[in-house]
Amino acid sequence: MELSAVNAGDTAFMMIAAALVMFMTPGLALFYGGMVRSKNVLSTVVQSFFSLGIVALIWVVYGYSLAFGPDIGGFIGGLDWVFLRGVGLEPSDTYATTIPQLVFCAFQLMFASITPALITGAFAERIKFTGFLFFTVVWTTLVYLPVCHWVWAADGWLLKLGALDFAGGTVIHLNSGMAALVAAIFIGKRRGYGRDSFMPHSLGMTILGAGILWFGWFGFNAGSAGAANAVAGSAFFVTHVAAAAAMVSWVAAEWVVQGKPTALGAASGAVAGLVAITPAAGFVGPMSAVIIGLAGGVLCFFAIRLKTKFKYDDALDVVAVHGCGGTWGAVATGLFASTAINPDGADGLFFGGAGLVFIQIAGVLATFVYSGVLTYGILKLTEKLTGFRVSEDDEAMGLDLSQHDEVGYNL
């Protein structure tokens, strides 16, 4: 496609959206960093922050090609675009056809960067930095890139099946949530878990991180329209009201169950709503988004209790918020999607399309199985080659000192 096809407004919009999504990863670092103990704040923050660097290199060398390159069997892209060969200023014939393909590539890079960072919350306060690095490279390559291709590439098998995922409910949240569950079980509980205090050291930092995530999520969801158009405007609005609804419903649920509302509950509820609306953002109207948010807040709140029942240590509740929230969002898309909002989508169960919800469930199950099995294999490989968990002495000392020879606070 010629350079003359580039639309200046769409290009500016997508560059801003990409920058907003990039800002979410430092926001996640703060969100997670505030929830751990002070002796582990730097190690937690740097795992998210470093994902921006390591995934960018993967993306440039081969990641974009495997995710969006010419299709191989509906499962993965080919190597035609390695080192971004042929990816330039001309728009793609297939993806976001009014902006330079390099801008589309940049936007998708920011999605890839935050996904492995989400997983780190499950094994916070007990993982070697070398293990984190190895796991991130291999997991991004073998899990994220194929699932991304299934769902968003033009010939991906889930896209061809009819599955809808506007901005990453399956690709990012459900995928990372399942990986987090496997990782939390595999690595085991933190030293002293169930006996010692594991209170967040800075809820102010967590609230700030949640606010940055909320702000960045407008780029995450609205930008997934690929242009500054009506669908982007709708996605922008429903993103906000879903987050607001989930924050209210989460706090209401904990108020009833625990007797008091909490700041952490407000922050977690908002993020749960953002996760839940992500796959549906470009396909549902405002009232559907409110329902998705209200239900998402309550479901994710009660999902946190599963780790007590099943005795696994998901340190920062990745499974409950991203795994459960992403699953609900994917299924809810099958219920509430409407072609009146987006003619390129499909009608969900409540709008006359009975089949979509079953397709969405099939996508959920396929991602659960693939991500779960591959993640377990990658964890075993990581444990063998680099080691995954720090020693008991290093864990007691804190990962800031034992892994980085630094401290978060000099008071």
Side-chain angles (χ1 to χ4, degrees), residues 271-406:
V271 174
L274 292 164
V275 170
I277 196 59
T278 292
F283 304 116
V284 303
M287 294 314 300
S288 295
V290 169
I291 295 169
I292 291 170
L294 289 172
V298 174
L299 287 171
C300 292
F301 168 74
F302 283 105
I304 286 180
R305 293 167 168 256
L306 294 175
K307 67 180 183 181
T308 302
K309 181 177 178 60
F310 293 105
K311 303 184 185 308
Y312 61 87
D313 181 13
D314 173 16
L316 307 182
D317 299 320
V318 185
V319 178
V321 174
H322 296 277
C324 177
T327 301
W328 162 239
V331 175
T333 304
L335 300 175
F336 295 102
S338 171
T339 52
I341 301 297
N342 187 344
D344 292 331
D347 286 319
L349 181 63
F350 297 145
F351 293 87
L356 180 60
V357 70
F358 297 105
I359 294 173
Q360 295 296 104
I361 292 171
V364 167
L365 294 176
T367 305
F368 274 164
V369 172
Y370 182 80
S371 182
V373 172
L374 267 289
T375 298
Y376 178 76
I378 294 165
L379 289 166
K380 291 288 286 185
L381 184 64
T382 304
E383 183 180 52
K384 183 174 183 179
L385 296 182
T386 68
F388 199 61
R389 183 165 184 154
V390 298
S391 69
E392 286 196 9
D393 288 343
D394 284 351
E395 189 174 344
M397 180 192 301
L399 273 60
D400 292 358
L401 279 172
S402 69
Q403 298 299 298
H404 305 289
D405 201 21
E406 296 174 297

Side-chain angles (χ1 to χ4, degrees), residues 234-295:
S234 177
F236 187 101
F237 186 80
V238 301
T239 296
H240 186 73
V241 297
M247 179 169 63
V248 171
S249 67
W250 181 302
V251 170
E254 72 175 356
W255 205 337
V256 170
V257 174
Q258 296 172 188
K260 289 186 179 180
T262 68
L264 181 58
S268 299
V271 174
L274 292 164
V275 170
I277 196 59
T278 292
F283 304 116
V284 303
M287 294 314 300
S288 295
V290 169
I291 295 169
I292 291 170
L294 289 172

Side-chain angles (χ1 to χ4, degrees), residues 61-88:
V61 175
Y62 61 85
Y64 181 67
S65 187
L66 293 182
F68 290 97
D71 177 70
I72 299 176
F75 181 80
I76 194 71
L79 296 175
D80 306 57
W81 297 346
V82 291
F83 299 102
L84 299 186
R85 183 175 58 207
V87 179

Side-chain angles (χ1 to χ4, degrees), residues 44-57:
T44 302
V45 166
V46 79
Q47 286 169 12
S48 290
F49 193 67
F50 207 77
S51 293
L52 287 170
I54 195 166
V55 176
L57 297 180

Side-chain angles (χ1 to χ4, degrees), residues 95-329:
Y95 307 109
T97 57
T98 61
I99 66 173
Q101 189 176 3
L102 202 60
V103 174
F104 174 77
C105 175
F107 180 70
Q108 288 294 334
L109 162 60
M110 305 313 171
F111 282 68
S113 296
I114 198 171
T115 307
L118 291 171
I119 304 169
T120 64
F123 45 63
E125 301 194 296
R126 56 207 194 273
I127 185 178
K128 290 182 176 179
F129 191 67
T130 50
F132 155 75
L133 291 176
F134 185 83
F135 175 82
T136 297
V137 170
V138 180
W139 191 89
T140 300
T141 303
L142 298 183
V143 181
Y144 180 82
L145 297 177
V147 174
C148 179
H149 187 85
W150 299 357
V151 176
W152 285 336
D155 293 311
W157 75 268
L158 272 178
L159 184 68
K160 284 192 165 184
L161 185 66
L164 298 180
D165 183 4
F166 190 73
T170 297
V171 177
I172 296 169
H173 299 293
L174 195 159
N175 194 8
S176 63
M178 186 63 198
L181 176 61
V182 174
I185 294 171
F186 181 89
I187 196 170
K189 299 173 185 177
R190 286 168 289 181
R191 183 174 176 270
Y193 182 76
R195 183 187 71 238
D196 300 339
S197 173
F198 286 87
M199 296 298 292
H201 89 280
S202 178
L203 285 176
M205 182 186 291
T206 294
I207 292 284
L208 176 61
I212 292 171
L213 285 169
W214 196 332
F215 178 68
W217 226 293
F218 291 119
F220 201 83
N221 286 356
S224 292
N229 56 28
V231 172
S234 177
F236 187 101
F237 186 80
V238 301
T239 296
H240 186 73
V241 297
M247 179 169 63
V248 171
S249 67
W250 181 302
V251 170
E254 72 175 356
W255 205 337
V256 170
V257 174
Q258 296 172 188
K260 289 186 179 180
T262 68
L264 181 58
S268 299
V271 174
L274 292 164
V275 170
I277 196 59
T278 292
F283 304 116
V284 303
M287 294 314 300
S288 295
V290 169
I291 295 169
I292 291 170
L294 289 172
V298 174
L299 287 171
C300 292
F301 168 74
F302 283 105
I304 286 180
R305 293 167 168 256
L306 294 175
K307 67 180 183 181
T308 302
K309 181 177 178 60
F310 293 105
K311 303 184 185 308
Y312 61 87
D313 181 13
D314 173 16
L316 307 182
D317 299 320
V318 185
V319 178
V321 174
H322 296 277
C324 177
T327 301
W328 162 239

